[in-house]
Amino acid sequence: PCPLGAAHATGAMTVKRRNHGRNKHGRGHVKRVRCVSTGKAIPKDKAVKRFIVRNIVETSALRDMKEASCIEGYQLPKIYIKNYYCIEAAIHQRVVRVRSREARRIRDPPVRPRGPPRT
């Protein structure tokens, strides 16, 4: 008898995720990126990625700038940032949540709350 158990003897170890927490199918090596929270170097395919689009000026100062602007109907540019988080930081900051074993099998993205339609 194997001292480590029957699963070890047959080679059938239990697996938590079908992709082993990576998105690296067929690639041997993936470049590393830096976590924006901890600075840890993590593989790009393992990192939690969030794309942030926001105005350069916060909404409180936006009205003042529109009143002071000499160009009518000027659209302020936006900031586009891609953030990478390591798993620990993403869970700690609640960027992603821990899911149950059944919920982990749901692969489609969660529905985004949309505001009222624009007129």
Side-chain angles (χ1 to χ4, degrees), residues 70-114:
C70 60
I71 303 169
E72 200 63 39
Y74 178 69
Q75 191 71 33
L76 274 170
K78 294 183 181 295
I79 295 178
Y80 300 94
I81 307 168
K82 186 155 191 187
N83 286 342
Y84 296 100
Y85 296 93
C86 62
I87 301 296
E88 306 90 273
I91 291 170
H92 181 71
Q93 295 175 8
R94 297 193 180 100
V95 176
V96 291
R97 303 274 167 109
V98 176
R99 297 193 291 171
S100 67
R101 186 175 288 176
E102 292 80 34
R104 258 183 252 144
R105 294 186 177 277
I106 302 169
R107 297 183 49 127
D108 49 327
V111 285
R112 275 196 223 159
R114 296 282 180 168

